[in-house]
Amino acid sequence: MTVTSVLPDVQMFLDRKHGLYLDGQWVDSSVQTRLPVFNPATGKVLSSVADAGFDDVQHAVASAKRSFDKGVWRDMRPSERERILLRLADLVERDAEILAQLETLEQGQSITLSRILEAGGAQSWIRYVAGLATKITGQSLDVSIAMPPGARYTAYTRKEPIGVVAGIVPWNFPLLIGVWKVLPALAAGCSVVVKPSEITPLTMLWFAQLATEAGVPDGVFNVLTGMGAVAGAALVSHPDVAKVTFTGSTPVGKQIAEQCASRLARVSLELGGKNPAIVLADADIERTVNGLTMAGFLNQGQVCAACSRIYVEAPLFDRVAAGLEIALSGMSIGPGMDPTAFINPVVSRPQQKKVQSYLDRASEAGAEMLRGPQVPEGDGFYIRPALVLNPDDTLALTREEVFGPVMTLTRVSSAEEALAKANDTNFGLAASLWTNNLEAAMKLPPRMEAGTVWVNSHVMIDPNMPFGGIKQSGIGRDFGTAWLDAFTETKSICIQH
């Protein structure tokens, strides 16, 4: 078994007594307590970070506000901002293995995934959004203002950076989603304060150093580590924060929306999902089984867009079930630093207990369940992958976001029944359709209630394809050519002449 060894730079970073990253430098927190960072594969403490308090939040926001008001970043030529952000992508590429190892050690995910999707994907997203820095445009407007008589007007709009942006980053993809919070704000000319999850703060701290090295001015990009209930709440409610961008659970997202509404701050929310897949009887069985296995168990199912519910037309149900059972039985389980392991630990002990509680309640209710291999013995946060067959629609496991290596597989009589069941949820983040029928591929996706619908694929994203949810899965869209619109305000200018 090949196990990746930890790089010396990674070990030195783990051993360091981390402070907060404010004004382009490390500073001590005003609070003496520290937060442990655990290795999910062992359950042991990996490192520790500062636990930011209220005063630290004030310091961070003041730093960002000061840099914004001075215009050291927002007034920079767009091409210069683009150059610095492209340099940041180069530095992420240089330190890709360091970032990948930090990500795996603190989050638990496969080192292969960390290398390809996190460190590798971060480079792609940074380069894409850096290019948008020089594509911010307004419009010239023909207006018909009739007063005073004989007056002529020229009007136009311009996009201006919104101000200080607070980015709240979840624990499932700490680096990549952190980039999604930071980079569009920077490209638009904003200043940023980021609070990574207290569970997975390390990669964002390393990334902050790279931003300074790339040339991002001091105070423009700040990182607070701390608890959501303290540092996160103080950041979201701060009067100088013009916009909050949050990825996480729907309950927390609702709280943030209420706080922002009370002071009319802008907000973008990418929240939970209970994402369905509809498999029609004509679907290619091999492609479907392979695709759904990846869609449901990537990163142990800790993916907001992961497939969690599968509805299969009756003629193909037994073959899909048999294929997924074979896939389950063949899954290798082990630590993320072992590149041969397909299933790794979930991120934390509380997450492990939460996922297991869903499975226990389903078992107590008599649900039929197929399980993957036994997990390694020890203190790691492992969950045996599970496929629940034809569960009752009232089970918590079928209604709520589990966020673990669990999928349900349900037999349906028709595409219409599958569609009704797929749409019967409060969520609407993502969905997929599996078919070789062109007519079905064109007609069904518009009727599927989700922000993204894949056909013969699932969970694959791209910087140029907008992503976000409907219903209780969120507000706003990330990615795409209009990405920076959410970080700017439109100003109309009207000149009489």
PDB file of all heavy atoms in Angstrom, residues 409-437:
ATOM      1  N   LEU A 409     -32.108   4.207  -3.158  1.00  0.00           N
ATOM      2  CA  LEU A 409     -32.426   3.704  -4.501  1.00  0.00           C
ATOM      3  C   LEU A 409     -33.877   3.254  -4.484  1.00  0.00           C
ATOM      4  O   LEU A 409     -34.243   2.351  -3.715  1.00  0.00           O
ATOM      5  CB  LEU A 409     -31.501   2.552  -4.865  1.00  0.00           C
ATOM      6  CG  LEU A 409     -31.629   1.975  -6.278  1.00  0.00           C
ATOM      7  CD1 LEU A 409     -31.132   2.993  -7.302  1.00  0.00           C
ATOM      8  CD2 LEU A 409     -30.851   0.675  -6.412  1.00  0.00           C
ATOM      9  N   THR A 410     -34.701   3.874  -5.331  1.00  0.00           N
ATOM     10  CA  THR A 410     -36.140   3.642  -5.298  1.00  0.00           C
ATOM     11  C   THR A 410     -36.650   3.241  -6.672  1.00  0.00           C
ATOM     12  O   THR A 410     -36.330   3.884  -7.677  1.00  0.00           O
ATOM     13  CB  THR A 410     -36.871   4.916  -4.825  1.00  0.00           C
ATOM     14  OG1 THR A 410     -36.373   5.290  -3.530  1.00  0.00           O
ATOM     15  CG2 THR A 410     -38.367   4.695  -4.756  1.00  0.00           C
ATOM     16  N   ARG A 411     -37.473   2.191  -6.692  1.00  0.00           N
ATOM     17  CA  ARG A 411     -38.107   1.723  -7.923  1.00  0.00           C
ATOM     18  C   ARG A 411     -39.335   2.586  -8.224  1.00  0.00           C
ATOM     19  O   ARG A 411     -40.151   2.853  -7.326  1.00  0.00           O
ATOM     20  CB  ARG A 411     -38.528   0.265  -7.764  1.00  0.00           C
ATOM     21  CG  ARG A 411     -39.084  -0.389  -9.032  1.00  0.00           C
ATOM     22  CD  ARG A 411     -39.762  -1.710  -8.699  1.00  0.00           C
ATOM     23  NE  ARG A 411     -38.890  -2.600  -7.947  1.00  0.00           N
ATOM     24  CZ  ARG A 411     -38.137  -3.557  -8.482  1.00  0.00           C
ATOM     25  NH1 ARG A 411     -38.150  -3.731  -9.799  1.00  0.00           N
ATOM     26  NH2 ARG A 411     -37.400  -4.335  -7.711  1.00  0.00           N
ATOM     27  N   VAL A 412     -39.458   3.022  -9.473  1.00  0.00           N
ATOM     28  CA  VAL A 412     -40.640   3.786  -9.896  1.00  0.00           C
ATOM     29  C   VAL A 412     -41.220   3.165 -11.156  1.00  0.00           C
ATOM     30  O   VAL A 412     -40.527   2.461 -11.904  1.00  0.00           O
ATOM     31  CB  VAL A 412     -40.300   5.267 -10.152  1.00  0.00           C
ATOM     32  CG1 VAL A 412     -39.902   5.961  -8.862  1.00  0.00           C
ATOM     33  CG2 VAL A 412     -39.211   5.406 -11.200  1.00  0.00           C
ATOM     34  N   SER A 413     -42.486   3.446 -11.395  1.00  0.00           N
ATOM     35  CA  SER A 413     -43.172   2.834 -12.532  1.00  0.00           C
ATOM     36  C   SER A 413     -42.991   3.605 -13.823  1.00  0.00           C
ATOM     37  O   SER A 413     -43.163   3.057 -14.918  1.00  0.00           O
ATOM     38  CB  SER A 413     -44.662   2.708 -12.216  1.00  0.00           C
ATOM     39  OG  SER A 413     -45.232   3.994 -11.989  1.00  0.00           O
ATOM     40  N   SER A 414     -42.636   4.896 -13.707  1.00  0.00           N
ATOM     41  CA  SER A 414     -42.557   5.721 -14.915  1.00  0.00           C
ATOM     42  C   SER A 414     -41.693   6.939 -14.662  1.00  0.00           C
ATOM     43  O   SER A 414     -41.367   7.274 -13.514  1.00  0.00           O
ATOM     44  CB  SER A 414     -43.953   6.185 -15.328  1.00  0.00           C
ATOM     45  OG  SER A 414     -44.487   7.056 -14.344  1.00  0.00           O
ATOM     46  N   ALA A 415     -41.363   7.635 -15.751  1.00  0.00           N
ATOM     47  CA  ALA A 415     -40.603   8.877 -15.626  1.00  0.00           C
ATOM     48  C   ALA A 415     -41.411   9.929 -14.884  1.00  0.00           C
ATOM     49  O   ALA A 415     -40.853  10.729 -14.126  1.00  0.00           O
ATOM     50  CB  ALA A 415     -40.213   9.389 -17.007  1.00  0.00           C
ATOM     51  N   GLU A 416     -42.717   9.940 -15.068  1.00  0.00           N
ATOM     52  CA  GLU A 416     -43.565  10.915 -14.385  1.00  0.00           C
ATOM     53  C   GLU A 416     -43.555  10.699 -12.871  1.00  0.00           C
ATOM     54  O   GLU A 416     -43.510  11.659 -12.100  1.00  0.00           O
ATOM     55  CB  GLU A 416     -44.991  10.859 -14.932  1.00  0.00           C
ATOM     56  CG  GLU A 416     -45.144  11.432 -16.329  1.00  0.00           C
ATOM     57  CD  GLU A 416     -44.741  12.899 -16.414  1.00  0.00           C
ATOM     58  OE1 GLU A 416     -45.105  13.673 -15.500  1.00  0.00           O
ATOM     59  OE2 GLU A 416     -44.062  13.273 -17.391  1.00  0.00           O
ATOM     60  N   GLU A 417     -43.605   9.428 -12.447  1.00  0.00           N
ATOM     61  CA  GLU A 417     -43.519   9.159 -11.010  1.00  0.00           C
ATOM     62  C   GLU A 417     -42.155   9.578 -10.467  1.00  0.00           C
ATOM     63  O   GLU A 417     -42.056  10.166  -9.378  1.00  0.00           O
ATOM     64  CB  GLU A 417     -43.768   7.679 -10.724  1.00  0.00           C
ATOM     65  CG  GLU A 417     -43.749   7.369  -9.230  1.00  0.00           C
ATOM     66  CD  GLU A 417     -43.842   5.885  -8.902  1.00  0.00           C
ATOM     67  OE1 GLU A 417     -43.926   5.059  -9.836  1.00  0.00           O
ATOM     68  OE2 GLU A 417     -43.822   5.550  -7.697  1.00  0.00           O
ATOM     69  N   ALA A 418     -41.117   9.286 -11.224  1.00  0.00           N
ATOM     70  CA  ALA A 418     -39.770   9.687 -10.795  1.00  0.00           C
ATOM     71  C   ALA A 418     -39.672  11.195 -10.667  1.00  0.00           C
ATOM     72  O   ALA A 418     -39.096  11.723  -9.697  1.00  0.00           O
ATOM     73  CB  ALA A 418     -38.732   9.173 -11.791  1.00  0.00           C
ATOM     74  N   LEU A 419     -40.231  11.911 -11.629  1.00  0.00           N
ATOM     75  CA  LEU A 419     -40.177  13.367 -11.605  1.00  0.00           C
ATOM     76  C   LEU A 419     -40.912  13.925 -10.390  1.00  0.00           C
ATOM     77  O   LEU A 419     -40.426  14.838  -9.715  1.00  0.00           O
ATOM     78  CB  LEU A 419     -40.772  13.926 -12.896  1.00  0.00           C
ATOM     79  CG  LEU A 419     -40.708  15.442 -13.073  1.00  0.00           C
ATOM     80  CD1 LEU A 419     -39.276  15.913 -13.205  1.00  0.00           C
ATOM     81  CD2 LEU A 419     -41.526  15.861 -14.295  1.00  0.00           C
ATOM     82  N   ALA A 420     -42.076  13.364 -10.095  1.00  0.00           N
ATOM     83  CA  ALA A 420     -42.849  13.834  -8.949  1.00  0.00           C
ATOM     84  C   ALA A 420     -42.088  13.615  -7.650  1.00  0.00           C
ATOM     85  O   ALA A 420     -42.046  14.484  -6.774  1.00  0.00           O
ATOM     86  CB  ALA A 420     -44.201  13.121  -8.908  1.00  0.00           C
ATOM     87  N   LYS A 421     -41.459  12.452  -7.503  1.00  0.00           N
ATOM     88  CA  LYS A 421     -40.695  12.161  -6.295  1.00  0.00           C
ATOM     89  C   LYS A 421     -39.433  13.020  -6.215  1.00  0.00           C
ATOM     90  O   LYS A 421     -39.046  13.494  -5.140  1.00  0.00           O
ATOM     91  CB  LYS A 421     -40.329  10.675  -6.243  1.00  0.00           C
ATOM     92  CG  LYS A 421     -41.502   9.749  -5.935  1.00  0.00           C
ATOM     93  CD  LYS A 421     -41.060   8.305  -5.875  1.00  0.00           C
ATOM     94  CE  LYS A 421     -42.216   7.391  -5.474  1.00  0.00           C
ATOM     95  NZ  LYS A 421     -42.646   7.608  -4.067  1.00  0.00           N
ATOM     96  N   ALA A 422     -38.783  13.217  -7.355  1.00  0.00           N
ATOM     97  CA  ALA A 422     -37.563  14.020  -7.378  1.00  0.00           C
ATOM     98  C   ALA A 422     -37.838  15.457  -6.942  1.00  0.00           C
ATOM     99  O   ALA A 422     -37.048  16.068  -6.213  1.00  0.00           O
ATOM    100  CB  ALA A 422     -36.937  14.002  -8.763  1.00  0.00           C
ATOM    101  N   ASN A 423     -38.976  15.999  -7.365  1.00  0.00           N
ATOM    102  CA  ASN A 423     -39.316  17.392  -7.055  1.00  0.00           C
ATOM    103  C   ASN A 423     -39.959  17.562  -5.687  1.00  0.00           C
ATOM    104  O   ASN A 423     -40.147  18.696  -5.228  1.00  0.00           O
ATOM    105  CB  ASN A 423     -40.256  17.952  -8.124  1.00  0.00           C
ATOM    106  CG  ASN A 423     -39.542  18.187  -9.454  1.00  0.00           C
ATOM    107  OD1 ASN A 423     -38.317  18.260  -9.509  1.00  0.00           O
ATOM    108  ND2 ASN A 423     -40.319  18.297 -10.523  1.00  0.00           N
ATOM    109  N   ASP A 424     -40.290  16.458  -5.020  1.00  0.00           N
ATOM    110  CA  ASP A 424     -40.970  16.515  -3.728  1.00  0.00           C
ATOM    111  C   ASP A 424     -39.955  16.753  -2.608  1.00  0.00           C
ATOM    112  O   ASP A 424     -39.637  15.873  -1.818  1.00  0.00           O
ATOM    113  CB  ASP A 424     -41.743  15.215  -3.484  1.00  0.00           C
ATOM    114  CG  ASP A 424     -42.525  15.247  -2.175  1.00  0.00           C
ATOM    115  OD1 ASP A 424     -42.798  16.359  -1.673  1.00  0.00           O
ATOM    116  OD2 ASP A 424     -42.841  14.149  -1.652  1.00  0.00           O
ATOM    117  N   THR A 425     -39.421  17.946  -2.554  1.00  0.00           N
ATOM    118  CA  THR A 425     -38.409  18.316  -1.573  1.00  0.00           C
ATOM    119  C   THR A 425     -38.375  19.825  -1.432  1.00  0.00           C
ATOM    120  O   THR A 425     -38.770  20.557  -2.353  1.00  0.00           O
ATOM    121  CB  THR A 425     -37.015  17.804  -2.007  1.00  0.00           C
ATOM    122  OG1 THR A 425     -36.025  18.261  -1.091  1.00  0.00           O
ATOM    123  CG2 THR A 425     -36.653  18.302  -3.399  1.00  0.00           C
ATOM    124  N   ASN A 426     -37.897  20.289  -0.280  1.00  0.00           N
ATOM    125  CA  ASN A 426     -37.723  21.723  -0.080  1.00  0.00           C
ATOM    126  C   ASN A 426     -36.450  22.248  -0.721  1.00  0.00           C
ATOM    127  O   ASN A 426     -36.236  23.462  -0.768  1.00  0.00           O
ATOM    128  CB  ASN A 426     -37.695  22.046   1.421  1.00  0.00           C
ATOM    129  CG  ASN A 426     -39.034  21.827   2.094  1.00  0.00           C
ATOM    130  OD1 ASN A 426     -40.079  22.030   1.486  1.00  0.00           O
ATOM    131  ND2 ASN A 426     -39.013  21.407   3.354  1.00  0.00           N
ATOM    132  N   PHE A 427     -35.588  21.320  -1.152  1.00  0.00           N
ATOM    133  CA  PHE A 427     -34.307  21.711  -1.729  1.00  0.00           C
ATOM    134  C   PHE A 427     -34.396  21.784  -3.250  1.00  0.00           C
ATOM    135  O   PHE A 427     -35.307  21.219  -3.870  1.00  0.00           O
ATOM    136  CB  PHE A 427     -33.221  20.717  -1.331  1.00  0.00           C
ATOM    137  CG  PHE A 427     -32.963  20.649   0.153  1.00  0.00           C
ATOM    138  CD1 PHE A 427     -33.397  19.568   0.900  1.00  0.00           C
ATOM    139  CD2 PHE A 427     -32.297  21.668   0.801  1.00  0.00           C
ATOM    140  CE1 PHE A 427     -33.170  19.500   2.265  1.00  0.00           C
ATOM    141  CE2 PHE A 427     -32.056  21.625   2.168  1.00  0.00           C
ATOM    142  CZ  PHE A 427     -32.501  20.532   2.901  1.00  0.00           C
ATOM    143  N   GLY A 428     -33.405  22.431  -3.852  1.00  0.00           N
ATOM    144  CA  GLY A 428     -33.378  22.523  -5.304  1.00  0.00           C
ATOM    145  C   GLY A 428     -32.012  22.928  -5.816  1.00  0.00           C
ATOM    146  O   GLY A 428     -31.886  23.853  -6.612  1.00  0.00           O
ATOM    147  N   LEU A 429     -30.974  22.230  -5.357  1.00  0.00           N
ATOM    148  CA  LEU A 429     -29.620  22.600  -5.769  1.00  0.00           C
ATOM    149  C   LEU A 429     -29.242  21.950  -7.087  1.00  0.00           C
ATOM    150  O   LEU A 429     -28.861  22.615  -8.044  1.00  0.00           O
ATOM    151  CB  LEU A 429     -28.611  22.228  -4.685  1.00  0.00           C
ATOM    152  CG  LEU A 429     -27.171  22.681  -4.945  1.00  0.00           C
ATOM    153  CD1 LEU A 429     -27.088  24.195  -5.104  1.00  0.00           C
ATOM    154  CD2 LEU A 429     -26.256  22.220  -3.817  1.00  0.00           C
ATOM    155  N   ALA A 430     -29.305  20.616  -7.149  1.00  0.00           N
ATOM    156  CA  ALA A 430     -28.831  19.905  -8.333  1.00  0.00           C
ATOM    157  C   ALA A 430     -29.654  18.651  -8.552  1.00  0.00           C
ATOM    158  O   ALA A 430     -30.344  18.162  -7.647  1.00  0.00           O
ATOM    159  CB  ALA A 430     -27.353  19.543  -8.169  1.00  0.00           C
ATOM    160  N   ALA A 431     -29.574  18.115  -9.775  1.00  0.00           N
ATOM    161  CA  ALA A 431     -30.277  16.883 -10.137  1.00  0.00           C
ATOM    162  C   ALA A 431     -29.631  16.331 -11.390  1.00  0.00           C
ATOM    163  O   ALA A 431     -28.849  17.013 -12.067  1.00  0.00           O
ATOM    164  CB  ALA A 431     -31.766  17.143 -10.367  1.00  0.00           C
ATOM    165  N   SER A 432     -29.961  15.086 -11.704  1.00  0.00           N
ATOM    166  CA  SER A 432     -29.450  14.502 -12.952  1.00  0.00           C
ATOM    167  C   SER A 432     -30.477  13.571 -13.569  1.00  0.00           C
ATOM    168  O   SER A 432     -31.352  13.029 -12.886  1.00  0.00           O
ATOM    169  CB  SER A 432     -28.130  13.749 -12.717  1.00  0.00           C
ATOM    170  OG  SER A 432     -28.306  12.665 -11.816  1.00  0.00           O
ATOM    171  N   LEU A 433     -30.343  13.404 -14.872  1.00  0.00           N
ATOM    172  CA  LEU A 433     -31.187  12.510 -15.656  1.00  0.00           C
ATOM    173  C   LEU A 433     -30.282  11.579 -16.439  1.00  0.00           C
ATOM    174  O   LEU A 433     -29.306  12.033 -17.048  1.00  0.00           O
ATOM    175  CB  LEU A 433     -32.073  13.316 -16.616  1.00  0.00           C
ATOM    176  CG  LEU A 433     -32.891  12.520 -17.622  1.00  0.00           C
ATOM    177  CD1 LEU A 433     -33.973  11.709 -16.924  1.00  0.00           C
ATOM    178  CD2 LEU A 433     -33.496  13.447 -18.680  1.00  0.00           C
ATOM    179  N   TRP A 434     -30.611  10.286 -16.429  1.00  0.00           N
ATOM    180  CA  TRP A 434     -29.799   9.287 -17.106  1.00  0.00           C
ATOM    181  C   TRP A 434     -30.660   8.598 -18.153  1.00  0.00           C
ATOM    182  O   TRP A 434     -31.628   7.896 -17.826  1.00  0.00           O
ATOM    183  CB  TRP A 434     -29.235   8.293 -16.095  1.00  0.00           C
ATOM    184  CG  TRP A 434     -28.400   8.981 -15.052  1.00  0.00           C
ATOM    185  CD1 TRP A 434     -28.861   9.681 -13.968  1.00  0.00           C
ATOM    186  CD2 TRP A 434     -26.980   9.082 -15.019  1.00  0.00           C
ATOM    187  NE1 TRP A 434     -27.813  10.218 -13.262  1.00  0.00           N
ATOM    188  CE2 TRP A 434     -26.642   9.864 -13.874  1.00  0.00           C
ATOM    189  CE3 TRP A 434     -25.956   8.581 -15.831  1.00  0.00           C
ATOM    190  CZ2 TRP A 434     -25.321  10.158 -13.537  1.00  0.00           C
ATOM    191  CZ3 TRP A 434     -24.648   8.884 -15.482  1.00  0.00           C
ATOM    192  CH2 TRP A 434     -24.336   9.655 -14.348  1.00  0.00           C
ATOM    193  N   THR A 435     -30.330   8.823 -19.414  1.00  0.00           N
ATOM    194  CA  THR A 435     -31.143   8.301 -20.512  1.00  0.00           C
ATOM    195  C   THR A 435     -30.368   8.369 -21.815  1.00  0.00           C
ATOM    196  O   THR A 435     -29.461   9.197 -21.971  1.00  0.00           O
ATOM    197  CB  THR A 435     -32.445   9.111 -20.649  1.00  0.00           C
ATOM    198  OG1 THR A 435     -33.242   8.563 -21.708  1.00  0.00           O
ATOM    199  CG2 THR A 435     -32.170  10.580 -20.956  1.00  0.00           C
ATOM    200  N   ASN A 436     -30.740   7.526 -22.766  1.00  0.00           N
ATOM    201  CA  ASN A 436     -30.228   7.609 -24.135  1.00  0.00           C
ATOM    202  C   ASN A 436     -31.286   8.148 -25.085  1.00  0.00           C
ATOM    203  O   ASN A 436     -31.084   8.158 -26.306  1.00  0.00           O
ATOM    204  CB  ASN A 436     -29.758   6.231 -24.628  1.00  0.00           C
ATOM    205  CG  ASN A 436     -28.397   5.860 -24.078  1.00  0.00           C
ATOM    206  OD1 ASN A 436     -27.558   6.733 -23.846  1.00  0.00           O
ATOM    207  ND2 ASN A 436     -28.158   4.578 -23.858  1.00  0.00           N
ATOM    208  N   ASN A 437     -32.405   8.590 -24.529  1.00  0.00           N
ATOM    209  CA  ASN A 437     -33.520   9.088 -25.321  1.00  0.00           C
ATOM    210  C   ASN A 437     -33.387  10.600 -25.457  1.00  0.00           C
ATOM    211  O   ASN A 437     -33.496  11.336 -24.468  1.00  0.00           O
ATOM    212  CB  ASN A 437     -34.840   8.721 -24.626  1.00  0.00           C
ATOM    213  CG  ASN A 437     -36.060   9.122 -25.445  1.00  0.00           C
ATOM    214  OD1 ASN A 437     -36.199  10.262 -25.840  1.00  0.00           O
ATOM    215  ND2 ASN A 437     -36.944   8.163 -25.685  1.00  0.00           N
TER     216      ASN A 437
END
